[in-house]
Amino acid sequence: MWKIGNIYFIAAVAVIGGALFGFDISSMSAIISTQPYLCQFNQRGHDENGLCLGPTDDVQGGITAAMPGGSWLGALVSGIVSDAFGRKTSIQLGAIIWIIGSVVVCASVNIPMLAIGRVINGFSVGICSAQVPVYISEISPPSKRGRLIGFQQWAITWGILIMFFICYGSSFIPGTAAFRLPWGLQAVPAVLLFLGLVFLPESPRWLAKKDRWEQAVEVLTLIHGKGDPNSPWVIRELSEIREVVEFERANADVSYFELFTPGMINRTQVGVFTQIWSQLTGMNVMMYYITYVFTMAGLSEPGTNAVLLPSGIQFVINVVMTVPALLWMDRWGRRPTLLVGAFLMCFWLCINAGLFAVYGRAPYPGEFTSTAESMAVEGPPAKAIIAATYLFVASFAPTWGPVSWTYPPELFPLRLRGKAVALCTSANWAFNFALAYFVPAAFANITWRVYVIFATFCAAMFLHVFFMFPETANKPLEEIEEMFDDTKPGAIKYIGTPAWKTKNTRNLALRQERNETLSSEEKMGVSGEHKESAA
Ligand code: BGC
């Protein structure tokens, strides 16, 4: 079968999996405040104007959380599926499951059917969100790996935006088509993903692992050798892959458990916390429940969809502000990007907490539909809340968003990468699930203090990154290994080189590419031992 070898094209098809992730994130936010939805899944009767009040907050939390719950499971099992059947096949399986889930959700007539459909959709997103980065990282050249994986985040933000506006457009259609149309349409990209993957090669590393060396050579020749099986690059990669595969054979204990051995546990906690903290920034409060926040800030008119347009603006900001990271992420380095992101988000959350605490009042009876809409703010403070919310999203998008996908695969040696990334991604979904479920109840019960909690998490992640997250940008894999070596002079037991002493070695990497000779300290990028600064 004819296969496509262009790496950008391969990444473009594969990240449709990321778009499905985005679709699911925003498939609820535009719909939960519309009358057709509130009436179809009504549990609370009507208000004095005859408007449907919809599901209870707990149940709405459960419906929203059904997706990340399914994704958690999907991400966890994805490592096993993809090791057994291949990266490509597992993503294709994800596409088929997505189509089934979309049919169930689109046809749902009651809450259980909707929740089950969302679990199925979520399961698919779990597989794709864990295995697309693995597939891309195994197929792309090292110099483009960060950016190509970063495209996954961009696809997520596009997915969120497109779905939100499809839902927004559909909200003008009377009747249940307002939500059935978008939930049905979301199956289309999965069909494209499935068919597109037919023309993409399987990961050469997975083929080699399965002893399908001839096919592995064919793929390497196609994607990196420009058709020449004897090109130096193909030969070098092949021998590297052979070494790794032989190592794995010789070390039968290479499994999930190795992630928890003394030599690996530090990286495992760093990788897992990268994803946990990305959730605990509170970004998904803005993604799932933005209509609640903006309703409290006075942007809604009862019974209309007026709140949707200003909500949609933040999804545009999310897409646009991811671009700088794609362009400059490798130049900035991972540590500064994460530190600046945590600092800025902490700041905007404190502003919002203060504004709601000082200027907020309890809503009048019947003023809003959901009990999660537990405060009301008017005038300039309301405008400031909207601005701080947009700025929060603009702070997440170029920092924790993309780095949370690029950083974990960089931490681990190739032999562990598939399983390690599956574990880190499942942590993303576990926390995503918890937040989706608890945030409405938290707003109802502790109002503006919800913002204080997330601001505290941002401060904690700042410290955690500063002390524990080493710089990986521009470092070849072997040097990342060395950074975690705890037997070197100055290294901390079980940890390796102190994180705050590691630097972005971009200048050095560029010098190395020009074939200049570097000292081993220079290669490690340890501060104080060389004067080279990050580019
Ligand atoms: C996160 C999602 C979030 C999205 C927003 C992703 O990196 O994992 O939970 O909704 O970014 O753009």
Side-chain angles (χ1 to χ4, degrees):
M1 158 87 65
W2 177 74
K3 295 276 188 266
I4 292 166
N6 181 294
I7 187 70
Y8 283 100
F9 187 87
I10 295 175
V13 172
V15 297
I16 296 177
L20 301 183
F21 180 151
F23 281 2
D24 237 349
I25 296 267
S26 64
S27 61
M28 270 287 146
S29 49
I31 285 179
I32 48 176
S33 53
T34 61
Q35 276 301 300
Y37 173 82
L38 294 171
C39 293
Q40 178 72 42
F41 305 103
N42 201 359
Q43 290 182 302
R44 294 190 295 146
H46 299 84
D47 68 6
E48 64 270 23
N49 303 317
L51 296 174
C52 300
L53 290 171
T56 63
D57 289 328
D58 265 2
V59 170
Q60 181 54 55
I63 295 171
T64 307
M67 188 278 279
S71 300
W72 171 77
L73 206 63
L76 262 192
V77 303
S78 74
I80 300 160
V81 177
S82 111
D83 280 349
F85 303 106
R87 317 304 191 211
K88 202 179 105 166
T89 316
S90 66
I91 304 171
Q92 276 182 312
L93 182 73
I96 295 173
I97 297 175
W98 174 269
I99 295 167
I100 298 171
S102 300
V103 170
V104 176
V105 166
C106 170
S108 59
V109 287
N110 54 33
I111 291 172
M113 198 170 164
L114 175 60
I116 290 169
R118 281 179 65 77
V119 171
I120 299 174
N121 272 353
F123 193 81
S124 142
V125 166
I127 296 177
C128 294
S129 62
Q131 294 311 314
V132 168
V134 173
Y135 176 62
I136 296 180
S137 73
E138 288 186 350
I139 216 159
S140 50
S143 62
K144 300 198 177 93
R145 194 182 284 146
R147 175 178 296 175
L148 288 169
I149 301 175
F151 275 129
Q152 150 129 333
Q153 174 66 15
W154 207 34
I156 294 174
T157 62
W158 271 107
I160 297 175
L161 176 75
I162 292 169
M163 189 60 178
F164 186 85
F165 278 100
I166 290 179
C167 290
Y168 176 66
S170 309
S171 71
F172 293 96
I173 305 172
T176 60
F179 59 83
R180 294 202 195 285
L181 184 68
W183 288 348
L185 276 180
Q186 67 182 359
V188 176
V191 176
L192 296 181
L193 175 62
F194 183 87
L195 295 178
L197 276 162
V198 172
F199 299 101
L200 302 193
E202 179 51 274
S203 152
R205 283 165 174 86
W206 181 81
L207 288 168
K209 234 192 234 176
K210 295 276 157 185
D211 263 337
R212 289 156 64 173
W213 290 98
E214 240 169 72
Q215 281 167 289
V217 174
E218 264 170 38
V219 174
L220 287 175
T221 307
L222 175 74
I223 55 178
H224 297 160
K226 299 200 172 95
D228 174 11
N230 297 316
S231 92
W233 189 358
V234 171
I235 291 175
R236 198 182 56 232
E237 267 202 302
L238 202 62
S239 84
E240 273 172 23
I241 295 175
R242 210 177 280 278
E243 229 171 81
V244 172
V245 170
E246 275 161 18
F247 179 90
E248 282 194 13
R249 300 252 156 90
N251 293 269
D253 64 337
V254 171
S255 71
Y256 262 117
F257 296 111
E258 198 193 335
L259 293 173
F260 302 98
T261 55
M264 209 50 76
I265 186 89
N266 180 40
R267 305 180 209 202
T268 305
Q269 66 90 13
V270 171
V272 166
F273 266 94
T274 306
Q275 287 289 8
I276 292 178
W277 288 135
S278 106
Q279 292 303 308
L280 293 182
T281 56
M283 176 64 168
N284 279 329
V285 179
M286 315 302 170
M287 296 291 116
Y288 292 136
Y289 298 119
I290 186 65
T291 57
Y292 288 169
V293 175
F294 281 0
T295 298
M296 293 190 271
L299 287 177
S300 79
E301 290 158 36
T304 74
N305 54 14
V307 72
L308 292 186
L309 201 54
S311 305
I313 291 174
Q314 67 144 1
F315 298 119
V316 176
I317 294 175
N318 196 18
V319 170
V320 173
M321 287 304 291
T322 305
V323 177
L326 296 180
L327 296 175
W328 298 307
M329 185 160 61
D330 291 321
R331 203 172 275 252
W332 294 338
R334 314 293 179 244
R335 270 173 67 78
T337 309
L338 293 176
L339 288 171
V340 169
F343 176 82
L344 288 176
M345 284 186 280
C346 182
F347 180 74
W348 302 123
L349 289 165
C350 288
I351 299 268
N352 268 348
L355 288 167
F356 270 119
V358 175
Y359 298 101
R361 59 165 171 81
Y364 308 123
E367 187 175 359
F368 302 141
T369 41
S370 168
T371 52
E373 294 156 347
S374 56
M375 302 165 279
V377 179
E378 283 111 18
K383 295 210 167 65
I385 286 172
I386 296 161
T389 303
Y390 287 153
L391 288 166
F392 172 92
V393 172
S395 306
F396 178 92
T399 61
W400 282 82
V403 177
S404 63
W405 297 106
T406 308
Y407 193 55
E410 288 180 333
L411 294 170
F412 297 93
L414 185 65
R415 67 178 188 283
L416 278 174
R417 192 172 295 142
K419 294 188 175 74
V421 173
L423 184 74
C424 300
T425 307
S426 75
N428 171 310
W429 289 114
F431 279 75
N432 192 321
F433 169 82
L435 290 183
Y437 189 71
F438 289 118
V439 162
F443 266 129
N445 291 306
I446 56 167
T447 63
W448 56 271
R449 292 169 199 85
V450 173
Y451 284 103
V452 178
I453 292 178
F454 286 115
T456 312
F457 285 138
C458 286
M461 73 187 71
F462 183 95
L463 296 175
H464 193 190
V465 171
F466 185 84
F467 288 110
M468 301 299 288
F469 287 38
E471 185 56 74
T472 53
N474 293 293
K475 291 193 172 69
L477 282 178
E478 313 78 60
E479 284 170 28
I480 294 177
E481 279 293 316
E482 263 183 66
M483 233 168 25
F484 288 102
D485 178 358
D486 66 355
T487 59
K488 288 176 83 79
I492 306 173
K493 187 121 184 83
Y494 301 124
I495 289 178
T497 307
W500 59 92
K501 288 196 178 170
T502 57
K503 286 270 181 292
N504 182 357
T505 49
R506 187 170 178 79
N507 284 349
L508 302 176
L510 295 176
R511 275 173 57 195
Q512 223 163 6
E513 275 172 24
R514 291 195 298 266
N515 286 329
E516 292 177 30
T517 337
L518 309 177
S519 72
S520 67
E521 283 81 13
E522 275 186 320
K523 278 202 256 167
M524 286 281 291
V526 175
S527 69
E529 296 184 12
H530 63 81
K531 295 273 174 282
E532 198 74 42
S533 65

